[in-house]
Amino acid sequence: MESDQTVKKNETLLRRTAWLVLLATVAGLTGVQRSEAATNVVVWDTGSRFADAVDAGNRIGWKAVPSELFIFEADPPKAASDPGYYGREYSFKGDAVVENRSLVAVFWSAKGRVVLYSKAEETVSGSGDALRGDTSFGKEVLEFVPLQSKAQPGGISRCEILRNATDEVIVEAAFTANGSPDTSATFHFGKTDIVEIKPAAKMKGISLFSPIEYGVVPGFIGDDLIFGSAEFGTADAIAIPSENIFLGLLKGEASEFVMTWPKGKQQLSLRLGNGPQGKRGIESIDFENDGQSLYLAASSAPGLWHREELKPTYLEKDVALNWKRPFAARWKTQLSEAGVKTTFAFRESKGTIWRGVPGSYNYPAWIDGESAFFHLSKKVPPKGEALIYFLEGQDTPVSISTPVDIVKATLGRQLSDSILDTAGRKLRTHHRRGGDGVHRACTCGCTEAIQAVFEKSQEVAKKNDIKEALDDMNYFVQCHVERIEEYRRFAGDMIQFLRAKQTASPEMKPFLENLEQIVQQIPQEYDVQKENMKSPEHAGELTRQTLVLTTSKSTNNLPAYMDLLKAWRAMGGAQDYVVAQCHTITRKLFQEAGYGCVNDAKTVPVAHEIRARCRQVLRNPDGYEIWANY
């Protein structure tokens, strides 16, 4: 049996061997470290600082920073057992770089910026629209700087590692700028493509420089707001009513980033730059963070989004787009329907659809295999341009993080549920008996079902079936009437709200008057169609007259019923039209409140309130208003 002294010597030898192996790994096996970054999180010290450019292709001199600094001591096991060595901080000789399987973040000390790259499996060949900074790091997506130092020379004076584990890295960076007090922010990295940025109290805002082609403010109830260069005019900055999520679509159609933040008083504006041939594009985002964290996630893939010019030659024909979806998702676009920007999800096949205002037309967007198609018409005309992008998954590979995934992962269940509002996106029912009733539960469908009974002269024998169908139809009419009244109350309250705001803030009058003209269309449409929509009493009388025809057989029953059918359908058709118009007008108000506030930041809080009220009434639309989950 070995002595205690021998055992201790062996244990010491084993510990020393383990430390030497670790030291050798950290010092020399760069290829292994880079492969570890494919699954874990690695902190690099570049050895020397980047100067005027980030040289991503040269990693000579780079060293991984170990999670335990004892290995740098002459006797690592002894240092690990001695509390006198504890608390040592790592001092970077070069710039700090954090890398995982999805991204690379470079703390560029000479420029005072943190540059975020998205790793892409494939690269897009260079062109005039190619994304800048396409390097071995991946695609440069954005550069982070403190807002107060954006226009002044600055730097990063210190990077401190707060946590360095294989699954999480937290780095605190101190920023300096001439004429401004030093500020700092902490950057949290995990195994995913999400970066959390927590500005210190002195950092009141941040700027994100990025080659943004279009900015999208998603509206999961209602339509998204899309901001492109055509909307900017001569303004140097535009304030947008962003609501906890912003999507940046980057030049080259191969990269994007998602930005989310918790509830608070944050404000977001888009700064505009001068481009070639006088074109103005989004140069950066200015974000006042209200002392709270924000989250960023970048992704790159060929065809991640697409811009399609809607040419006049697209009218009334199937057009194959010069874009193929890179993976399965709920791809969507916006087109003009009845003069209002309307969201269309790409369907799996082409077909027709009926809508309360425009009537029947070919559904304009579908995907066959990987190829996408448009069929535009006079009702959905080829006007302007259309963007194709996605927010949600639909049979999406697990390796792809959708913007909705980012919302859920960063904002928590309670806030993400209120933003995504899955319950509010479900259609309300107008089926009295569910699946047991008339399946096409509307005045057209129910009268058609009853007509089939009269045509077979079975009205007496199937009197109870006719009564049930009549009750289904009356329930449908009741639902329509109640929904129209819901919109009328909304319009009345909104008009009062807008007029009160005009009195309190006369400088907002042009903005508010334009919105009032839109919402006034709801009572105007009601007044025009009021006589055609009839009343519940009229529906009751039609019901009574229809049931009278079931008391005895007669050759006159069918002709008499056909007259009643026309009356039923005339009443129901007018109600269908008004319900759809109310919905369309409210969506237009929702959009115009968002677009109309961009040139005056003071109107943004009012726009938020208007859009919140619109969103509330748009929840759970009827199928005669719009399709589900728009």
Side-chain angles (χ1 to χ4, degrees):
M1 183 173 182
E2 293 182 294
S3 65
D4 291 344
Q5 185 175 3
T6 302
V7 171
K8 289 180 180 179
K9 285 182 178 180
N10 290 338
E11 289 177 348
T12 301
L13 179 61
L14 288 172
R15 286 200 301 269
R16 287 180 182 274
T17 302
W19 281 106
L20 288 172
V21 171
L22 178 58
L23 181 59
T25 302
V26 172
L29 300 181
T30 303
V32 174
Q33 295 151 7
R34 293 189 66 175
S35 66
E36 286 177 351
T39 55
N40 300 319
V41 193
V42 176
V43 184
W44 299 95
D45 184 342
T46 62
S48 60
R49 296 188 174 187
F50 296 119
D52 294 332
V54 174
D55 184 3
N58 181 12
R59 295 201 183 207
I60 297 176
W62 284 35
K63 293 184 178 180
V65 180
S67 57
E68 295 292 351
L69 302 183
F70 302 129
I71 65 171
F72 293 129
E73 302 298 334
D75 190 346
K78 181 178 183 300
S81 64
D82 187 344
Y85 288 91
Y86 284 31
R88 175 182 170 181
E89 295 185 4
Y90 184 81
S91 179
F92 284 91
K93 293 180 174 58
D95 284 329
V97 176
V98 180
E99 181 179 13
N100 67 14
R101 66 176 179 82
S102 302
L103 59 86
V104 176
V106 177
F107 290 78
W108 193 1
S109 58
K111 298 295 184 181
R113 300 184 172 210
V114 179
V115 187
L116 187 66
Y117 298 83
S118 173
K119 292 183 177 180
E121 294 182 2
E122 301 179 47
T123 58
V124 179
S125 59
S127 68
D129 294 329
L131 182 63
R132 66 181 180 184
D134 190 1
T135 71
S136 62
F137 285 169
K139 293 185 177 297
E140 181 184 333
V141 174
L142 56 85
E143 298 179 2
F144 168 101
V145 296
L147 182 61
Q148 56 264 48
S149 64
K150 181 172 79 168
Q152 305 172 31
I156 296 177
S157 60
R158 175 181 57 84
C159 278
E160 179 182 347
I161 300 175
L162 302 183
R163 176 173 170 80
N164 183 10
T166 57
D167 58 349
E168 182 183 35
V169 166
I170 303 175
V171 175
E172 181 179 25
F175 296 85
T176 62
N178 296 337
S180 298
D182 291 356
T183 58
S184 65
T186 55
F187 297 78
H188 298 241
F189 304 90
K191 293 184 178 182
T192 71
D193 50 357
I194 299 171
V195 181
E196 178 185 358
I197 303 174
K198 174 66 175 176
K202 291 182 179 180
M203 189 179 290
K204 302 300 182 183
I206 66 161
S207 292
L208 300 174
F209 287 85
S210 184
I212 301 172
E213 189 86 10
Y214 295 92
V216 180
V217 177
F220 297 97
I221 300 291
D223 306 282
D224 302 339
L225 298 179
I226 300 176
F227 296 92
S229 58
E231 290 84 21
F232 297 152
T234 60
D236 290 328
I238 60 171
I240 63 174
S242 49
E243 291 147 358
N244 303 102
I245 177 174
F246 178 83
L247 174 65
L249 305 178
L250 307 190
K251 292 180 181 178
E253 301 190 1
S255 293
E256 68 182 29
F257 71 85
V258 181
M259 179 178 174
T260 67
W261 56 92
K263 288 290 187 183
K265 298 179 180 179
Q266 297 90 339
Q267 295 183 16
L268 189 150
S269 60
L270 305 179
R271 289 281 170 184
L272 313 179
N274 295 317
Q277 300 177 342
K279 293 182 179 180
R280 311 200 70 198
I282 304 171
E283 182 179 73
S284 66
I285 295 173
D286 286 354
F287 184 69
E288 297 178 22
N289 53 275
D290 192 31
Q292 300 191 69
S293 293
L294 63 142
Y295 303 88
L296 294 169
S299 56
S300 297
L304 196 58
W305 66 275
H306 176 67
R307 171 190 172 273
E308 183 75 19
E309 181 184 355
L310 303 180
K311 302 174 183 178
T313 55
Y314 286 12
L315 185 65
E316 300 295 355
K317 64 176 67 172
D318 293 354
V319 177
L321 307 185
N322 187 27
W323 172 82
K324 296 182 183 298
R325 66 175 185 179
F327 46 79
R330 190 170 183 268
W331 297 94
K332 63 193 294 191
T333 190
Q334 279 189 10
L335 301 167
S336 177
E337 183 206 57
V340 177
K341 294 178 181 178
T342 302
T343 298
F344 292 88
F346 278 80
R347 294 189 169 181
E348 295 180 355
S349 61
K350 64 180 182 179
T352 60
I353 191 170
W354 186 90
R355 300 272 285 118
V357 176
S360 294
Y361 61 81
N362 288 292
Y363 191 82
W366 71 95
I367 291 177
D368 185 0
E370 305 305 322
S371 300
F373 295 85
F374 276 166
H375 187 112
L376 304 179
S377 61
K378 292 180 180 179
K379 295 179 179 179
V380 183
K383 180 180 178 182
E385 62 185 27
L387 294 187
I388 301 171
Y389 59 100
F390 73 101
L391 295 174
E392 300 175 86
Q394 187 168 304
D395 298 323
T396 305
V398 295
S399 59
I400 304 296
S401 293
T402 70
V404 165
D405 292 334
I406 304 303
V407 171
K408 292 177 179 178
T410 58
L411 300 184
R413 180 177 296 276
Q414 184 173 0
L415 180 54
S416 62
D417 283 353
S418 67
I419 294 170
L420 304 177
D421 198 1
T422 304
R425 294 155 69 184
K426 184 178 185 294
L427 291 179
R428 65 182 64 197
T429 184
H430 48 239
H431 292 74
R432 181 179 69 96
R433 293 181 288 162
D436 294 332
V438 177
H439 288 187
R440 191 167 168 241
C442 55
T443 49
C444 290
C446 290
T447 53
E448 186 178 76
I450 296 171
Q451 178 184 346
V453 177
F454 275 96
E455 287 175 340
K456 295 178 181 178
S457 299
Q458 295 177 337
E459 59 269 24
V460 175
K462 294 190 174 182
K463 177 178 181 179
N464 289 336
D465 291 344
I466 291 175
K467 183 179 183 305
E468 291 287 357
L470 288 168
D471 288 345
D472 287 345
M473 186 158 51
N474 275 278
Y475 182 78
F476 172 82
V477 169
Q478 177 187 345
C479 289
H480 260 23
V481 170
E482 290 175 353
R483 184 60 168 155
I484 291 169
E485 289 302 310
E486 189 177 346
Y487 276 116
R488 291 182 68 204
R489 289 192 298 271
F490 159 79
D493 292 343
M494 180 62 74
I495 291 169
Q496 288 185 359
F497 171 79
L498 294 173
R499 289 177 177 175
K501 285 296 180 182
Q502 289 182 50
T503 301
S505 304
E507 70 277 8
M508 298 185 189
K509 188 174 181 180
F511 169 67
L512 297 170
E513 280 186 336
N514 176 58
L515 299 179
E516 184 179 341
Q517 289 176 7
I518 295 173
V519 74
Q520 284 280 11
Q521 296 174 32
I522 290 178
Q524 291 168 5
E525 289 288 352
Y526 177 84
D527 290 340
V528 169
Q529 295 292 334
K530 184 177 180 180
E531 178 59 31
N532 295 329
M533 289 189 294
K534 303 302 181 182
S535 64
E537 289 75 21
H538 179 74
E541 178 59 23
L542 293 179
T543 300
R544 185 191 67 80
Q545 292 181 34
T546 304
L547 288 174
V548 166
L549 299 178
T550 66
T551 57
S552 60
K553 288 187 176 182
S554 170
T555 56
N556 292 326
N557 281 352
L558 179 59
Y561 171 72
M562 295 305 293
D563 289 337
L564 293 172
L565 177 148
K566 293 176 183 178
W568 275 114
R569 293 186 177 181
M571 175 184 65
Q575 293 172 353
D576 295 344
Y577 176 83
V578 172
V579 165
Q581 278 285 34
C582 289
H583 178 90
T584 300
I585 293 165
T586 303
R587 283 196 298 110
K588 184 176 181 180
L589 178 67
F590 181 72
Q591 295 172 22
E592 291 303 314
Y595 290 122
C597 69
V598 296
N599 293 318
D600 186 356
K602 294 180 181 178
T603 62
V604 172
V606 180
H608 273 295
E609 175 63 23
I610 294 168
R611 285 168 57 82
R613 292 181 179 217
C614 291
R615 188 181 294 109
Q616 184 60 35
V617 77
L618 288 172
R619 296 182 79 249
N620 303 119
D622 185 275
Y624 280 78
E625 299 174 46
I626 204 165
W627 39 83
N629 200 25
Y630 69 104

